[in-house]
Amino acid sequence: MKQPSQIRNIAIIAHVDHGKTTLVDAMLKQSRIFRENQQVAERVMDSNELERERGITILSKNTAIEYKGIKINIVDTPGHADFGGEVERVMNMVDGVLLLVDAVEGPMPQTRFVLRKALERGHKAIVVVNKIDRPNARPDEVVNETFDLFVDLGATDEQADFSVIYASAIKGWAGTEPDRLADTLEPLFERIVADLPAPDVDPSGPTQLQATLMGYDEYKGKIVIGRLNSGTIRRNQNVLWMRADGTSQPLKVAQVFTHRGLNRIEVEEAAAGDIIALTGLGDVGIGDTIADPDDPRPLPPIKVEEPTLRVT
Ligand code: GDP
């Protein structure tokens, strides 16, 4: 199990087509946690078919990579429509974001929408100027436009003082200068680990997790996804289900899953700071707290909007 300092939970946010899927693919490929023979051609964020095969369907797809002993959980965010305030909920699980911006197009409406949510939540961002290989790339202007957007959205001085990584996701290259890229994404991995904070959690406290995203598995039923805020959680553990209306009920966790590469893997026990998936929790709803029956501490409820189609 990882210490919180060995974990980074991040969301990649971007306007549609700016290269989120391609970047996550490249990060996975380079993080060397794949089995030697694993098909890396499988598109990560578009893995619906794969999930159907496994009988798992979740709204936001999570991925985890490992870089120099640090586990980086990557949480996907909806591309161009936000169902039920999902972007806001994802922001509750992560501690920083990669804001991906196309080096030709610059910031677009969805860039503004998702960045606003990240800034409101107090997150720091690394700006990734992607598609730097395009002949008409205009990286300096795009960085300036992105800076103006931060200011326009009321970013704090610290948030506006973002670092920039230039990248070609398609080639798997990145660098800190637009005309000098390494032929790996290492400069990006270095930035994530150095710039974005580890989760601020209590490893020795009582079990506490907020149900943030829901998944469904044909065989296992509902899957509750969230970041473990405090303590540990293990297979078959007795927990207290605390609802927003103040009522509570004892429950038993069935299985505990963490993420590795594209896969969700079952573990005996998970530690504070990690993004995990739990089965066996019946009717637990978004925003409810899973707590230690001997020391139950509810988390403040999160706003759940009615599913709406937001076209921006
Ligand atoms: P998403 O909608 O943000 O997930 O975007 P995708 O990853 O699907 O990429 C959208 C399109 O941009 C695809 O045709 C990609 O091949 C292309 N693309 C992604 N990254 C790069 C890049 O670094 N350079 C160039 N030239 N094209 C890219």
Side-chain angles (χ1 to χ4, degrees), residues 1 13 26-27 58-59 67 70 81 95 103 106 125 135 146 148 151 164 199 212 218-219 225 227 230 257 288 298:
M1 286 196 300
I13 58 178
M27 289 170 85
I58 58 168
L59 261 177
Y67 179 70
I70 308 277
D95 306 290
T146 307
D148 291 345
V151 173
V164 180
T212 307
E218 239 182 283
Y219 305 103
I225 298 155
R227 189 189 73 168
S230 163
F257 295 85
D288 296 347

Side-chain angles (χ1 to χ4, degrees), residues 47-56 218-219:
S47 56
N48 285 332
E49 270 175 40
L50 268 174
E51 288 185 345
R52 239 174 268 130
E53 266 174 38
R54 288 194 227 117
I56 293 175
E218 239 182 283
Y219 305 103

Side-chain angles (χ1 to χ4, degrees), residues 1-2 33-35 38 51 54 56 58 62-66 71 73 217 220 223-225 233-235 254-271 274-279:
M1 286 196 300
K2 298 278 187 197
I33 55 161
F34 272 178
R35 291 197 310 270
Q38 188 157 356
E51 288 185 345
R54 288 194 227 117
I56 293 175
I58 58 168
N62 307 335
T63 306
I65 61 171
E66 184 105 7
K71 180 179 189 182
N73 281 309
D217 178 272
K220 300 186 176 82
I223 298 170
V224 169
I225 298 155
I233 197 159
R234 51 171 50 249
R235 181 191 325 208
Q255 293 160 294
V256 180
F257 295 85
T258 62
H259 300 88
R260 185 190 292 157
L262 292 169
N263 303 315
R264 210 183 263 148
I265 50 163
E266 193 182 349
V267 292
E268 197 60 44
E269 189 178 32
D274 210 354
I275 291 177
I276 61 173
L278 304 170
T279 62

